[in-house]
Amino acid sequence: MIKIIKRTYDTAIIFILPLILILIGFLLHKDYGISLDEEITRNNGLVSIKYICDLFFPQCSVNFELLKDVPDLKDYSYDGPYGAIFEIFTISIIEIFMGIKNFSEIFYYRHLVNHYLFVISIICFYFLCINIFNNKLYSFFGATILYTTPRIFAESFYNSKDLAFLSFFIFLIFFSIKFIKKQNYYNAFLLSIFAAIATNIRLVGIYVSILVVLFFIVDFLMKNKVDQKKINKLIFFLFFQFIILYLIWPYLWENPINNFIYALKFFSQFPTALNVFYLGDFYRVEYLPWHYFLVCFFATTPLLVSTLVIGGLINLILRFFKRLINIEKNDSYKDIWRGEKEKIFLFLLFTILTPIISIFLFDIILYGSWRHFFFIYPSLILVSIYFLDIIVVK
């Protein structure tokens, strides 16, 4: 009887629930209007497609009706440095392959594509939870929380920047953890693909690769031994990440180093003249109070998740500092983590803290609530499940 129940549960999770999520997305994708950024984001893709056509198929670019009146990449001042691989994919499917020209239909289908990417990432997140906790109930809980968080669910239709990045960030974390657990060329190559795509969508994604490298360095220091085989796989990963990033980001093609540095500067201080209504007053985005991100996060996140997140973060941070305090003087890197699971959660902790701390260190401009940091939400859910597991075990 237990085996039958288990088999039924597995079938529901693997086949039935994804079909239900696909159906829900199809039924709801016309319930959302066009956001402020959507047409601009689409134009980013069109500009990149025009650049590719001009470079490789100049006659096609002249005769292609879709690209008429589209500016050249070098003259496109608004969002020039943005990577547009997801936009290129979306436009290619909807407007080129399917041939849809009606303005409203184009954006309805964009909402559908964006949401289905989110659904795929939910499935990936479920298996990420399985990989970490080896517990199907926790995994279902985590995937459900991510899918049903109101702000995230709504924007999964019309936000093709932040939600697309969140989706690819889940893939990135999934393959980062697989690579940390098992270093082989297969995992390294898959990680390089998703690291490149995530970085293309949001440049901030590059910090995960830096964290992976740092964790390898610390691991070598803890063992007081450099593993050349691991070094080779790490170099393989970094090499292919930057090769793939270069290939999928037309903005880098003519001058990769200078344009990449310019993009870093551009996105750290995004030029805008917006005012934000926050706690009863209007603020210029450059002068928002330090607590803006925290208040927006807790105001729009379910109370249960917020409570578990706080408990999990406090536990992980205290344990990390306890490890640092108790480091042996003659073996200074011995006990930063004990066991693979603790290593993984320390990695997740830094995927959360690094972008948050960078807000204050680099005076990063924020607006639109905490949407620029949606991508850390899956890691926060994993931390909340970690704390829930501590409570259940005790």
Side-chain angles (χ1 to χ4, degrees):
M1 183 66 181
I2 295 175
K3 288 184 178 180
I4 294 174
I5 295 173
K6 183 177 180 297
R7 197 178 300 117
T8 304
Y9 173 83
D10 291 342
T11 303
I13 290 294
I14 296 172
F15 297 107
I16 299 175
L17 283 179
L19 290 175
I20 292 173
L21 298 187
I22 290 170
L23 179 61
I24 291 172
F26 183 78
L27 292 175
L28 297 180
H29 78 280
K30 291 188 177 182
D31 290 357
Y32 298 89
I34 300 174
S35 70
L36 183 65
D37 285 346
E38 273 193 272
E39 191 170 359
I40 296 169
T41 305
R42 174 175 171 266
N43 288 336
N44 294 341
L46 290 174
V47 168
S48 292
I49 290 174
K50 185 176 187 298
Y51 177 80
I52 294 169
C53 288
D54 287 342
L55 196 60
F56 297 106
F57 315 103
Q59 194 59 39
C60 176
S61 180
V62 172
N63 298 326
F64 203 4
E65 185 179 349
L66 181 65
L67 300 180
K68 288 182 179 179
D69 301 322
V70 173
D72 292 332
L73 181 63
K74 62 181 179 180
D75 301 324
Y76 188 55
S77 58
Y78 183 77
D79 274 357
Y82 266 111
I85 186 62
F86 183 61
E87 290 303 319
I88 292 171
F89 170 79
T90 304
I91 293 169
S92 299
I93 293 295
I94 296 171
E95 302 183 54
I96 298 176
F97 180 73
M98 296 176 65
I100 295 172
K101 297 181 180 180
N102 180 275
F103 186 80
S104 61
E105 288 298 312
I106 286 172
F107 284 93
Y108 283 144
Y109 276 104
R110 286 173 61 86
H111 290 182
L112 199 58
V113 169
N114 205 57
H115 183 72
Y116 282 167
L117 172 65
F118 177 62
V119 169
I120 294 170
S121 74
I122 293 291
I123 297 169
C124 181
F125 187 69
Y126 173 83
F127 286 106
L128 174 59
C129 293
I130 288 285
N131 190 279
I132 295 174
F133 299 103
N134 196 28
N135 184 307
K136 293 178 180 177
L137 187 60
Y138 286 163
S139 303
F140 182 74
F141 172 76
T144 302
I145 290 295
L146 179 57
Y147 180 76
T148 59
T149 298
R151 183 82 190 267
I152 300 293
F153 180 83
E155 298 211 16
S156 70
F157 289 94
Y158 56 81
N159 189 336
S160 59
K161 287 182 182 177
D162 304 300
L163 258 295
F165 182 54
L166 179 149
S167 298
F168 277 102
F169 196 80
I170 291 172
F171 305 145
L172 175 56
I173 294 298
F174 179 81
F175 287 105
S176 295
I177 290 174
K178 283 181 70 71
F179 184 58
I180 289 172
K181 282 186 171 184
K182 187 175 182 180
Q183 300 83 37
N184 56 42
Y185 289 110
Y186 177 74
N187 286 339
F189 184 66
L190 289 175
L191 177 57
S192 68
I193 293 172
F194 288 102
I197 295 173
T199 303
N200 178 266
I201 295 173
R202 286 287 194 201
L203 196 52
V204 67
I206 199 170
Y207 86 95
V208 176
S209 301
I210 297 172
L211 285 179
V212 170
V213 172
L214 289 176
F215 267 69
F216 271 83
I217 293 172
V218 172
D219 189 51
F220 295 151
L221 291 171
M222 287 172 63
K223 295 176 181 177
N224 199 24
K225 179 184 177 182
V226 176
D227 189 328
Q228 189 58 50
K229 290 183 179 179
K230 290 183 179 180
I231 291 287
N232 292 341
K233 294 175 179 69
L234 195 60
I235 293 172
F236 178 88
F237 151 62
L238 293 172
F239 174 77
F240 276 98
Q241 177 190 354
F242 286 104
I243 290 295
I244 295 168
L245 180 62
Y246 176 78
L247 291 175
I248 66 175
W249 196 351
Y251 180 73
L252 299 182
W253 288 356
E254 292 185 6
N255 196 337
I257 296 176
N258 288 339
N259 285 357
F260 186 79
I261 292 172
Y262 173 76
L264 281 172
K265 294 178 180 177
F266 181 88
F267 292 122
S268 65
Q269 294 292 325
F270 187 83
T272 182
L274 291 176
N275 290 321
V276 174
F277 187 71
Y278 175 64
L279 299 181
D281 289 306
F282 283 98
Y283 294 87
R284 285 288 298 270
V285 291
E286 299 93 332
Y287 306 111
L288 279 165
W290 65 269
H291 45 73
Y292 175 74
F293 164 76
L294 297 175
V295 171
C296 289
F297 172 78
F298 288 112
T300 57
T301 303
L303 184 60
L304 173 63
V305 178
S306 297
T307 304
L308 292 174
V309 162
I310 293 171
L313 287 176
I314 290 174
N315 183 279
L316 287 171
I317 292 170
L318 289 177
R319 189 171 66 179
F320 174 63
F321 279 106
K322 183 180 178 181
R323 292 277 190 266
L324 290 179
I325 292 171
N326 293 328
I327 282 176
E328 294 181 13
K329 292 182 179 178
N330 296 328
D331 195 1
S332 58
Y333 292 93
K334 183 177 179 182
D335 291 326
I336 292 181
W337 59 72
R338 295 177 183 174
E340 189 176 78
K341 192 169 184 178
E342 187 172 335
K343 180 181 180 180
I344 295 304
F345 277 103
L346 189 59
F347 177 77
L348 291 171
L349 177 65
F350 278 96
T351 65
I352 296 166
L353 295 183
T354 302
I356 294 175
I357 293 171
S358 69
I359 297 173
F360 306 102
L361 288 181
F362 303 108
D363 197 24
I364 292 175
I365 293 174
L366 297 179
Y367 55 91
S369 186
W370 62 288
R371 69 179 181 89
H372 294 110
F373 285 82
F374 280 167
F375 65 92
I376 67 171
Y377 193 55
S379 295
L380 289 169
I381 293 175
L382 291 171
V383 168
S384 72
I385 299 173
Y386 158 82
F387 188 65
L388 177 63
D389 185 50
I390 292 174
I391 296 172
V392 171
V393 171
K394 287 184 177 180

